[in-house]
Amino acid sequence: MKTIKYFLLTATLFVLSIFSLQAQSTEGKEFWLTFGQFFTQIQPASNTNIEIRIVGSDQPTSGRIYFTNLGTFENFSINANEVFTHSLDLAQKIAVYNSTVGVSNRSVYIISYNAPVTVYAFIQHPNVVDEVTYVLPVTALGAEYYHISNYTLPTNYKDAYAIVATQNNTHLYHNKEYIATLNAGQVYYNTSSTDMTGAQITSTNPVAYFTVHQYSPVPYFGFSHGCILVEQMAPVNTWGKRFFVPVTLFEKDIVRIVVSQNNTNIEIEGGTLRNDVPGAQTTLNNLKPGDFVELDFTNDYNGCYIQANNPVGVCVYIANTQYTGLHSLPAMSWVPGIEQSISKALIAPFIPGTYTYLTHHYALVTTPTATRDKTMVSIGGALPVSLNGETWKEHSASGMSFCSVQLTQGNASYVFTNPSGVIIMGYGTGPNNYQLASYFYLAYSAMRDLDVAFYGNEIHFQDFKENPFCESLVEFRAEIDGKGIETDTIKWFINETEEVAERNKLEWEKTFSLGEYEIKMWVHFENGDTLAKTGTLAIINCNQESAFYANNVHHEALKDTTFCNKNVNFLAEIEGLHPTDPEPIKWYIDDVFETSQATWNKPFENGTYEIKLVVHYDNDTYATLIGTLKVQALWIKIRNVRY
């Protein structure tokens, strides 16, 4: 009898030790959230819908949504690959709604007990407001941000931001000027009659930072059509140097780029620098911290490729109807750098539970052109299918491609995968020639540290735990950026023992045996600051072989076999399963999911069935094994015989 083979003993122990860990991304277990004031005629009344949407992974989970200002909570429970939506009641809406400058307790704390989730917030009014933001997990928050917003009309509608503290005794600074001290769960809300884009916000502990503009026309043309802008900003330590911005189906979008370091130069491929935006720079060269530029770009460019010599922050906007010529309202989305692509992205569409003019919901998928054919999507835990049938647009200069995938199943998770990486943005539209409607948001990406980081065989240290190494020789490389100074000392440690021979080296290599190792890079800067980054490296046996058997018949021989017994026993023989996937094998009968067990049995009626086994390997690739099962049980009728 054959038995399923997972790993060598060492690798098996490794699987158990990292089961609950996940890569640094927009997915997590703890989140903080708050909201800012809408424009005056839209207050948090009964006809304004505020939703918190929690998207479950391939593991069931439960958790709690806690309203700090009320001291109350809502419990939630999510099955695997499903979505939980909580619509705030009136008391809860008032409890999270900031309208007065200063400190309050108007925050929401979300915790998932059992498994990582992704979280989004949705604001919707039946007439004119639709806006979405992703919510970053606590693990992805930082202590330095730059405000990115858009033009403010000369009215009572103001630019604004809201900051939520995650720890007690957190001091906040606006352009290095002290503004407030917060305890965990407290919120600081600030407004301005002018566009605050470029303002630097720093803190003594990690905080969640939200742009919450009350009403902006986007772009600046003196247009009257506007909307609220709500988007969580990513911390400066996650900013990149290379960006690809895809175009929505509105075909004309706006991009803003904000600078964090002196002597920053920017190059663009696909887009036009605007020179009529108040406060914006009209050059792409020799920019300083807080400077920003704005670009027009259309579908003619097939996207916009941005390169900078220093890290920059980028946001993209759906523009107003007077600019696009279509029925759109302003909405904004954070754009992560290409370095923040990820092999697996978990999202869900926003289909409001109340009346809405939104009719179409899309995932805007970006991936390298060379490997876009490997992009797949699984809906609600079903078998992954290829996106080859979608209409891809290719940007030749960047080597990137993108497509808009319509999302139609509102209560199911969508899991996009590509071993070479994807970034998923989301947006919604209304029907053509009808009511204005649109929203825009970052749906899923990595949120890795990019200012000071190290890589092993070009794998980011924060991704080590989800990418065990098959090769024993590991080449390490350090990236020291974002501090504005040169490094003075670099030290490398393996399991807390310094590799003295590698001191002050940006690149080095070492051969490891099978096992798990803590790798630490310690950096001492010339200004006296020190910083340490740690990753858990695992070297495993990566033999990858797959087969399955039905009543001891190999899957490739099933087509030549007919079973007379209706009861069929199945067995999988696998080596090299994905170590952090709770269901690395999945069985399907005629494309309907059956089980993730290695051995199982089932009675069949007479007929022909397609048996499919999908295997997720430890190098994040998939294999699909198919066999044709034929069942024809025989029976004999015996006549009565008289003696």
Side-chain angles (χ1 to χ4, degrees):
M1 175 66 67
K2 295 181 179 291
T3 56
I4 189 164
K5 295 181 286 184
Y6 282 85
F7 295 103
L8 298 178
L9 177 60
T10 303
T12 304
L13 293 175
F14 167 70
V15 172
L16 297 176
S17 69
I18 70 165
F19 183 82
S20 63
L21 299 175
Q22 77 274 358
Q24 187 78 347
S25 69
T26 49
E27 187 178 62
K29 290 186 175 181
E30 293 182 76
F31 306 81
W32 286 98
L33 173 64
T34 192
F35 297 86
Q37 185 177 16
F38 313 153
F39 51 93
T40 53
Q41 62 265 43
I42 308 286
Q43 299 299 336
S46 58
N47 61 345
T48 301
N49 184 33
I50 300 178
E51 294 180 355
I52 295 173
R53 184 157 295 190
I54 304 173
V55 185
S57 64
D58 52 8
Q59 304 172 60
T61 190
S62 60
R64 180 169 289 184
I65 303 171
Y66 178 78
F67 295 89
T68 309
N69 205 33
L70 298 176
T72 61
F73 57 86
E74 300 283 344
N75 290 320
F76 67 84
S77 180
I78 310 176
N79 292 326
N81 305 304
E82 292 189 357
V83 179
F84 175 86
T85 301
H86 174 65
S87 295
L88 276 63
D89 61 31
L90 182 58
Q92 292 169 345
K93 285 186 284 189
I94 294 172
V96 302
Y97 183 80
N98 293 279
S99 59
T100 303
V101 173
V103 177
S104 73
N105 292 316
R106 301 182 183 278
S107 68
V108 184
Y109 174 66
I110 302 162
I111 183 169
S112 172
Y113 298 133
N114 310 112
V117 296
T118 50
V119 176
Y120 307 95
F122 179 54
I123 304 167
Q124 186 262 338
H125 186 275
N127 294 328
V128 292
V129 174
D130 303 290
E131 191 59 281
V132 173
T133 182
Y134 70 112
V135 185
L136 282 178
V138 170
T139 54
L141 300 179
E144 182 184 11
Y145 296 85
Y146 278 85
H147 188 75
I148 306 180
S149 186
N150 212 277
Y151 182 69
T152 299
L153 293 171
T155 62
N156 292 327
Y157 307 137
K158 297 180 178 181
D159 193 7
Y161 62 74
I163 304 170
V164 187
T166 64
Q167 299 179 28
N168 290 337
N169 198 33
T170 296
H171 304 300
L172 304 180
Y173 302 86
H174 180 126
N175 289 336
K176 296 182 171 57
E177 295 290 331
Y178 170 81
I179 51 176
T181 296
L182 305 180
N183 288 326
Q186 289 189 310
V187 178
Y188 178 76
Y189 178 69
N190 192 24
T191 65
S192 173
S193 58
T194 60
D195 183 354
M196 290 190 287
T197 297
Q200 183 194 43
I201 307 299
T202 54
S203 57
T204 53
N205 295 308
V207 296
Y209 184 90
F210 296 86
T211 289
V212 285
H213 199 303
Q214 294 174 11
Y215 183 94
S216 182
V218 184
Y220 170 66
F221 271 135
F223 288 161
S224 59
H225 288 288
C227 194
I228 63 173
L229 301 178
V230 179
E231 185 76 356
Q232 184 165 8
M233 297 289 101
V236 172
N237 62 288
T238 66
W239 290 12
K241 299 179 184 178
R242 298 186 305 124
F243 300 80
F244 181 76
V245 188
V247 189
T248 68
L249 293 178
F250 289 108
E251 298 186 348
K252 293 176 68 177
D253 296 328
I254 300 291
V255 173
R256 275 199 175 187
I257 308 170
V258 175
V259 171
S260 65
Q261 293 186 32
N262 285 318
N263 304 315
T264 294
N265 301 312
I266 300 171
E267 298 178 4
I268 60 173
E269 290 279 352
T272 304
L273 181 66
R274 300 189 52 160
N275 58 14
D276 63 343
V277 179
Q281 303 299 309
T282 57
T283 177
L284 295 173
N285 298 314
N286 198 28
L287 301 173
K288 63 183 185 300
D291 284 348
F292 73 94
V293 296
E294 187 165 298
L295 311 175
D296 291 319
F297 77 110
T298 70
N299 201 39
D300 296 335
Y301 294 115
N302 278 357
C304 180
Y305 181 48
I306 300 166
Q307 299 181 84
N309 62 325
N310 295 313
V312 295
V314 179
C315 280
V316 61
Y317 304 78
I318 291 175
N320 65 62
T321 182
Q322 293 162 291
Y323 177 79
T324 65
L326 300 173
H327 288 259
S328 59
L329 280 176
M332 72 182 292
S333 173
W334 179 260
V335 180
I338 291 174
E339 300 95 328
Q340 299 291 14
S341 65
I342 199 160
S343 61
K344 180 179 179 181
L346 170 70
I347 74 165
F350 277 87
I351 302 177
T354 59
Y355 180 78
T356 178
Y357 288 113
L358 292 167
T359 57
H360 295 76
H361 308 268
Y362 298 94
L364 193 52
V365 182
T366 300
T367 193
T369 300
T371 56
R372 74 185 184 198
D373 290 345
K374 296 181 179 179
T375 308
M376 306 186 77
V377 62
S378 170
I379 304 174
L383 187 68
V385 296
S386 172
L387 295 187
N388 287 342
E390 300 293 336
T391 302
W392 289 91
K393 292 187 177 294
E394 180 179 332
H395 189 274
S396 57
S398 66
M400 303 298 290
S401 292
F402 67 95
C403 66
S404 288
V405 179
Q406 188 169 358
L407 309 176
T408 57
Q409 297 189 31
N411 293 318
S413 65
Y414 284 70
V415 179
F416 293 88
T417 57
N418 187 314
S420 298
V422 292
I423 291 174
I424 310 294
M425 302 167 75
Y427 67 101
T429 70
N432 292 331
N433 302 315
Y434 197 49
Q435 177 69 34
L436 302 176
S438 54
Y439 65 82
F440 206 7
Y441 67 107
L442 172 63
Y444 202 104
S445 76
M447 281 289 166
R448 306 179 181 98
D449 292 342
L450 297 180
D451 57 347
V452 178
F454 68 90
Y455 298 77
N457 292 351
E458 297 308 314
I459 302 296
H460 190 276
F461 75 96
Q462 289 174 313
D463 295 333
F464 282 179
K465 55 197 173 188
E466 285 206 340
N467 292 275
F469 288 39
C470 297
E471 58 273 24
S472 59
L473 178 63
V474 180
E475 298 176 347
F476 294 98
R477 175 176 60 84
E479 288 283 347
I480 313 296
D481 202 353
K483 297 294 181 181
I485 55 177
E486 296 297 326
T487 59
D488 179 46
T489 301
I490 301 176
K491 295 181 181 180
W492 297 89
F493 298 83
I494 300 177
N495 294 338
E496 295 297 338
T497 299
E498 184 186 356
E499 297 289 296
V500 178
E502 317 305 339
R503 186 176 294 182
N504 296 329
K505 289 184 180 179
L506 291 173
E507 297 182 0
W508 59 288
E509 62 183 34
K510 185 177 180 67
T511 300
F512 293 84
S513 301
L514 293 180
E516 182 176 315
Y517 305 87
E518 181 187 83
I519 310 297
K520 181 168 68 176
M521 180 185 71
W522 180 90
V523 182
H524 180 208
F525 296 96
E526 290 181 347
N527 66 353
D529 289 346
T530 62
L531 195 62
K533 303 288 184 174
T534 302
T536 301
L537 173 71
I539 309 297
I540 65 172
N541 186 315
C542 291
N543 293 327
Q544 295 179 353
E545 298 177 1
S546 300
F548 74 80
Y549 298 81
N551 287 349
N552 291 323
V553 177
H554 190 278
H555 69 273
E556 292 177 347
L558 284 178
K559 63 182 182 296
D560 300 319
T561 305
T562 299
F563 290 93
C564 298
N565 189 342
K566 291 185 176 182
N567 192 56
V568 181
N569 296 307
F570 293 93
L571 167 70
E573 184 178 86
I574 311 292
E575 289 186 354
L577 295 179
H578 196 281
T580 59
D581 191 340
E583 295 183 339
I585 61 173
K586 293 184 179 181
W587 297 83
Y588 297 83
I589 300 176
D590 292 334
D591 279 335
V592 177
F593 175 72
E594 182 69 22
T595 182
S596 290
Q597 299 297 314
T599 59
W600 56 288
N601 65 79
K602 183 180 179 70
F604 289 83
E605 297 298 322
N606 289 343
T608 301
Y609 305 86
E610 181 187 78
I611 308 299
K612 186 180 298 182
L613 174 65
V614 178
V615 183
H616 189 186
Y617 288 123
D618 50 25
N619 65 353
D620 226 12
T621 61
Y622 289 83
T624 300
L625 312 179
I626 297 176
T628 300
L629 176 69
K630 291 181 288 185
V631 177
Q632 183 63 51
L634 302 178
W635 59 276
I636 300 174
K637 183 176 181 180
I638 302 176
R639 295 178 180 271
N640 292 327
V641 179
R642 290 184 180 179
Y643 293 93

